[in-house]
Amino acid sequence: MAGTGEIDEGFYSRQLYVLGHEAMRRMGTAEVLIAGMKGLGVEIAKNVILSGVKSVTVQDVGQAEWSDLSSQFFLQEAHLGQNRATCSLPHLSALNPHVLVLAHTGPLNEDLLLKYQVVVLTDSSLDDQKRFGDFCHKHEIKLIVTDTKGLCGQLFCDFGEKFEVLDRDGEMPASLTIDRITKDNPGVVICADDQKHGLFDGSKVIFSDVQGMTELNSMAPVEIKVCGPYSFSICDTSTFSTYERGGVVTEIKQPIMLNFKPLSEALNDHQLLIMNDYGKISRHNTLHLAFQALHGFVKKEQRLPHPWSQSDADLLLNIVKELNSVAKLEELDEAAVRSFSYTSRGDLAPMNAFFGGLAAQEVIKACSGKFTPLQQWLYFDALECLPEDGVCPEESSFSSNGTRYDAQILVFGSEFQQKLLRQKYFLVGAGAIGCELLKNFALIGLGAGEEGHITVTDMDYIERSNLNRQFLFRSKDIGKPKSEIAAKAVAEMNPQVNITAHQNRLDPDSEGVYDYSFFMGLDGVAAALDNVDARVYLDKRCVQHQKPMLEGGTLGSKGHTLVVVPHLTESYGPAKSSSGNTIPLCTLKNFPHRIEHTLQWARDQFEGLFKQTPENVNLFLRDPKFIERTLAHGDAEALEILGGVWSSLQEMEAGGQRPKNWEDCVGWARCKWESLYNNDIRQLLHCFPPGELTSNGLPFWSGSKRCPHPLTFDPNNTTHIEYVMAAANLYGQIYGIKGTRDYTEIRTTLDGVSVPPFSPKSSVKIHLTDKEMEEDRKKEGDDADKAQLEELKGKLSLLKSSAQMYPIDFEKDDDSNFHMDYIVAASNLRAENYDIPAADRHQSKRIAGRIIPAIATTTAAVAGLMCLELFKLIQGHKKISSYRTAYLNLAVQYFVLAQPCRPQNFQVAGKKYTLWDDFLVEGRRCNQQEMTLADLIQHVKKTNGLTICSLFYGPAILYNRHEDRLKMSVSSLVKMVTKAEVPPHKKMLELIPSFDEDEDCETVPTIRYMLL
């Protein structure tokens, strides 16, 4: 990209959905200087280079030391004694072919800074920060200062006296369907009740397609005031025409101008501190002074405080108190200052990952004008990672030993490092978060000892769109397994790491691999998954085996982390119902009012025409029982499916839809266009004319029901011809017929196509609700339907020898396959029918392809927070107050770090339990014969005082006072009831009981029945 204006959409695909094209173009002209190539500097450089600025210069005068290897992932032992910037350059250059990366090994000076639009200082002195801060402020160079010391970090931004933010939050502008507008002063707009407007006081909106109160359509943006989640007031509408129906209100985003103080002034302004953990307000104010005090300590002593030195901590605390004589903080967190002093020599990969993500996001804001910058200080600490007892260990256990973990040992000591090396962890997912976690694991030494091990599994293969944020992968790796390449990359970072890569999907089918023995051999699990169902399944396995789980996820600039600790916190839990996001079928079929509706409709058309019907045809051709099974679905559905199969197999001359050549495909596409965008709309308007009233006397076409109009085909209309080209080519593909992209040839072919005439019918029923639709679908067919089904069965029996078809799986990222061409054209034509604003290809691809926006900065920050929680797990922390869940939005510097929730209690017969409590039963004790059901019932009664009255294994009823089953062994009973063998790998059966003592109890402890 680098300033050419051309954006590589294949490479930046997911990031474009976060930043947008305009912001990316502005970034493509920016030149950035990053000073300091220790762990924090390289983390920022990695994220900024991946984001796609014009150039990045990395500056460092220092040589690589052992302590750098704790967090600088592009330095290796062979680089010791060499310049850090020079050694990092080849690796940084390989991250993004569109960004020029340079190294500068000389000192910083004003002449150097003048070459850049954005300057980032890491590991710098306060004197340099003030000097260069004043210089940058004067010369309108955006300045970011950041540093981490052990478990504490700071971030500062100065973007000058007038910095324009073009989009404060990056959210899509609201586009809302109007239900009604009052004639009043001020007028009130009430939106359709299927979508909250999400606006705030002062938002500006424009109106379009309003009927009746047409004055609004030509007005400049109007400022609003929120009345409720579905309503807001606007200007005086009392003299306007009366509102009739229709209309869309669209938010117009307004730029804002921000003012920043230079660092030398901002140092004394505690109002500029942005809080992130609201239990630590006094601590963050104290850290603002502690970082200044640390600079003073270093200036005086020419060194950082010694690890866990009481005398140095006393000295630092005294300097903080001196500073506070001016700052006058009401409360100083003296314990935090001492801990800060004890650990300030440390350099931790997770802290650098977190601050590296945040600082790089500020660089992106400075370059693009997108999102709200930090104003102006942020402090964060994870001092809860230290031992809970607060006892200061001996200084001797923190000495440097000339190992790659030296800078981590300075914080936690050598004993803790040995624990890290012995860990056995299971990472599920090697995508964006997975890559970042593996990098952090390698740097901290997780599983890098003789007894330690990491297992990573991911079933996916590397695609080009992954390269922009999954930084362990390069172009040469495209098409290879993610887990294998990621494991190889981190083994190069730290050759001591013991890692095994699998390509298994984590689900019930892989329980033979990830069985009881596997899970019981683990110390913990990390989830780097991109879907809720997989997280829920993994969470369930962790609860079964009483293992802790680290979980994190991102959505563009937003991220979250969760730590699950057995017996201490709640688990991830079952999947929350997503029915609130489901679009009703009748809305898709007849009453769309948002572009999301037309895109989902287009996607459904694609799946039905080019995937489901060809699959049904192939099933019919090879499965003798296909018709019998289809008839069992009910007459209405069977007619639809079997009718589709017959028409797909029968040639066009005989009344079917099977093409013989390319010209037939073009003819089919033209007739399909007529059916969808003209005939179906005419039929709908025949049933419900534009002036139709409901039984209440209100207009039928109002609110979210937008009155459509039919389209007339025009071969010179770009969208019309694009639909025909895409549809004809896809139709040809499912029959093995080669098509063309030649518009002239297609237009010539269209001249010979005969479109059948159409007249709307009064007998057609249009469903107004999904319930109506479902009821009609389930109804027994009438005699005519049954006769039609019999006729179809006879016709199909003559077509058994037909050639198979070629179903198409939707693939959004291949621009040559016509898939997105079809979706965009089909959706925008439907949108035109209903006067819904069209969507461009980029927006359509995100919605129809269900793409999750992603950016490297958020991923790095989330992975950093997850690994800080990992430290706490390995410390063995028992207090829930030591752990944190996090919610962040880097676009607006929104951070909420909070204590996790405790597990919910439930009662059985007056005794309290949580999800972590189970009844563990050894089915074969001391190699004895397996328990009978009677033995199990007696065991539970004896050990838990509860009498089992019924017992379930999944949906199967094992026992409901069945006397004849009491003498059977439990595994034999499971086999008999499920009619399936218990797999050899299954060492634990989960049995759900009911008890005489509390039969109505909905939640009970699970019986985990062991077959060892």
Side-chain angles (χ1 to χ4, degrees), residues 670-683:
R670 171 65 185 89
C671 292
K672 179 57 73 173
W673 189 102
E674 195 71 18
S675 171
L676 294 174
Y677 305 112
N678 184 287
N679 301 349
D680 288 355
I681 302 299
R682 286 166 60 196
Q683 179 65 61

Side-chain angles (χ1 to χ4, degrees), residues 166 254 267 287 353 401 404 690 815:
L166 300 169
Q254 301 294 308
L267 273 172
L287 283 174
N401 300 311
R404 63 180 307 116
D815 286 335

Side-chain angles (χ1 to χ4, degrees), residues 19 55 118 136 188 224 239 249 261 337 431 446 463 513 553 596 600 621 623 650 667 696 834 888 897 957 963 982:
L19 298 176
S55 75
V118 184
C136 288
V188 176
I224 70 106
T239 60
V249 61
K261 291 183 178 181
V337 176
L446 187 79
E463 299 173 2
V513 180
E596 289 86 353
Q600 184 60 54
L621 293 175
D623 183 354
Q650 186 64 267
N696 298 326
Y834 286 86
L888 52 146
L897 283 101
I957 301 173
E963 294 291 326
V982 176

Side-chain angles (χ1 to χ4, degrees), residues 44-292:
I44 298 167
K46 177 255 292 179
N47 295 330
V48 171
I49 291 164
L50 288 172
S51 74
V53 294
K54 180 180 180 181
S55 75
V56 171
T57 300
V58 294
Q59 179 274 341
D60 201 319
V61 295
Q63 277 74 47
E65 302 169 357
W66 276 112
S67 57
D68 295 327
L69 271 57
S70 294
S71 66
Q72 221 285 22
F73 43 85
F74 286 151
L75 292 181
Q76 294 167 345
E77 291 182 25
H79 295 134
L80 295 173
Q82 298 176 47
N83 180 273
R84 284 186 287 253
T86 307
C87 295
S88 304
L89 184 64
H91 301 281
L92 291 169
S93 298
L95 290 171
N96 188 340
H98 305 293
V99 178
L100 175 65
V101 185
L102 303 165
H104 181 82
T105 57
L108 288 181
N109 58 54
E110 284 80 354
D111 289 341
L112 180 67
L113 268 55
L114 282 171
K115 298 177 182 177
Y116 303 96
Q117 288 81 55
V118 184
V119 171
V120 184
L121 301 181
T122 70
D123 194 34
S124 54
S125 70
L126 186 58
D127 289 342
D128 278 355
Q129 291 172 15
K130 289 177 179 178
R131 173 185 151 209
F132 293 130
D134 289 342
F135 179 83
C136 288
H137 192 85
K138 181 182 176 183
H139 290 87
E140 298 182 348
I141 300 166
K142 284 84 175 172
L143 175 72
I144 296 157
V145 177
T146 184
D147 204 359
T148 63
K149 297 294 183 201
L151 288 161
C152 301
Q154 70 173 169
L155 177 63
F156 170 80
C157 292
D158 171 15
F159 291 179
E161 299 199 359
K162 286 185 178 178
F163 180 77
E164 187 178 39
V165 176
L166 300 169
D167 181 350
R168 59 181 293 278
D169 58 10
E171 300 295 331
M172 288 292 292
S175 182
L176 308 154
T177 303
I178 297 168
D179 186 61
R180 61 189 186 279
I181 306 172
T182 65
K183 276 184 77 169
D184 212 338
N185 185 15
V188 176
V189 179
I190 297 95
C191 302
D193 62 5
D194 68 329
Q195 183 187 16
K196 293 179 181 178
H197 58 64
L199 301 171
F200 52 89
D201 289 350
S203 294
K204 291 194 175 181
V205 298
I206 56 169
F207 293 83
S208 57
D209 301 323
V210 175
Q211 296 185 34
M213 199 179 281
T214 53
E215 294 91 338
L216 288 172
N217 293 331
S218 56
M219 287 185 70
V222 183
E223 191 168 307
I224 70 106
K225 189 171 183 182
V226 173
C227 301
Y230 302 99
S231 61
F232 54 85
S233 63
I234 49 172
C235 55
D236 181 358
T237 59
S238 57
T239 60
F240 290 2
S241 309
T242 302
Y243 174 80
E244 292 174 10
R245 61 184 168 87
V248 173
V249 61
T250 304
E251 179 188 10
I252 301 297
K253 292 212 162 186
Q254 301 294 308
I256 56 174
M257 197 68 74
L258 300 179
N259 172 265
F260 291 79
K261 291 183 178 181
L263 185 140
S264 53
E265 283 182 38
L267 273 172
N268 303 316
D269 192 346
H270 280 258
Q271 299 302 311
L272 296 177
L273 267 67
I274 303 296
M275 296 301 158
N276 55 75
D277 189 329
Y278 289 93
K280 296 182 175 179
I281 291 175
S282 70
R283 181 177 295 181
H284 293 157
N285 279 311
T286 302
L287 283 174
H288 184 60
L289 300 182
F291 267 88
Q292 294 174 58

Side-chain angles (χ1 to χ4, degrees), residues 681-699:
I681 302 299
R682 286 166 60 196
Q683 179 65 61
L684 181 60
L685 291 172
H686 179 76
C687 295
F688 300 106
E692 179 84 355
L693 298 177
T694 67
S695 56
N696 298 326
L698 298 171

